Amino acid sequence: MDTLIDTPPTRTAVPRALRKLYLVRFAFAAAWAALLFTTADTLGPLSATLLVIYPLFDVACAVVDVRSARTHAGPVRHLYLNIALSALTGAGLAVAATSGIPAVLRIWGVWAVTAGLVQLAVGVSRRQLGGQWAMIASGGISTLAGASFFAQAGQDGTTLTNLAGYAFLGGVFFLVSALRLGRTGGTPT
C-alpha cells in the first residue's frame, strides 16, 4: 500500500497541466489581440494598459508553469529567465508608452527576441512530452518577429497592429500545442 502513496505522478499529469495552461494562454492572446487591434493606430491609455498587461500575464503563466514543472520534476531554469524578462518588459513598456509607438516597438522587439529564444529552449527541453513542435516553431518565429518590430520602430507611421497579429499567432501556437498534448497524452510527437 505504501508504494501507491509514494508513486510519482504519471507522465500524463504534466501534459494535462500544460494543456490547460496553453488553452488559457490562447484565449487570453486572442482577446488581447482583438482589443489591441481596435486601438492600434494610437497609443492611448487603453493600448498602453494592454501593452503592460501582456508581459505581466506572461509572468503569471510562467509562475504557474514553474509550479507544475516542479511538482513533476520538470525543467524550470528557463522559466525563471522568462519570468525575469517578462517582468522587466512590463516595466519597460510602461515607460516606453510615455515616449510613443517607436519606443514601444523597440522594447517589444527586444522582448520578442529574448522570450522567443527562451520559448525555443523550453520547447526543446520538453519535446519528450509531445506537442512541443508548435512551441519550438513559435519561439523561432518570435525571435524573427522581434527583430522585425525593432526595425519597424525606425519607420514613419508605425502602429501597434503587428503586435496584435504577433500575439494572436502566438496564441494559435499555444492552441495547437494544447491540442497535440491532448491527443498524444504525453507521448513524443
Side-chain angles (χ1 to χ4, degrees):
M1 285 243 188
D2 288 339
T3 57
L4 291 176
I5 294 171
D6 294 334
T7 303
T10 63
R11 264 186 76 158
T12 59
V14 175
R16 195 173 302 127
L18 281 178
R19 183 174 51 245
K20 288 178 184 177
L21 179 62
Y22 288 177
L23 289 172
V24 167
R25 291 189 76 144
F26 163 71
F28 176 83
W32 184 92
L35 286 170
L36 185 66
F37 188 75
T38 64
T39 63
D41 292 335
T42 61
L43 187 57
L46 176 60
S47 56
T49 301
L50 288 169
L51 291 168
V52 173
I53 287 173
Y54 196 90
L56 297 181
F57 180 78
D58 194 57
V59 168
C61 288
V63 168
V64 169
D65 202 349
V66 164
R67 288 182 180 161
S68 174
R70 263 203 219 139
T71 301
H72 304 295
V76 296
R77 180 181 46 169
H78 293 107
L79 295 171
Y80 285 124
L81 179 57
N82 185 55
I83 291 168
L85 289 171
S86 294
L88 288 172
T89 299
L93 286 169
V95 172
T98 65
S99 298
I101 291 175
V104 166
L105 289 174
R106 285 184 189 97
I107 297 294
W108 196 284
V110 169
W111 180 48
V113 167
T114 57
L117 292 171
V118 170
Q119 186 176 27
L120 183 63
V122 170
V124 167
S125 71
R126 289 181 169 166
R127 68 187 176 281
Q128 77 282 358
L129 296 177
Q132 294 301 299
W133 67 267
M135 293 296 93
I136 293 168
S138 179
I141 291 170
S142 180
T143 302
L144 296 173
S148 172
F149 297 144
F150 200 86
Q152 288 172 20
Q155 299 174 359
D156 292 331
T158 58
T159 70
L160 302 171
T161 303
N162 289 341
L163 299 185
Y166 165 82
F168 183 74
L169 180 60
V172 168
F173 277 112
F174 277 112
L175 177 62
V176 168
S177 192
L179 295 174
R180 291 295 298 158
L181 281 166
R183 259 183 68 205
T184 61
T187 58
T189 59

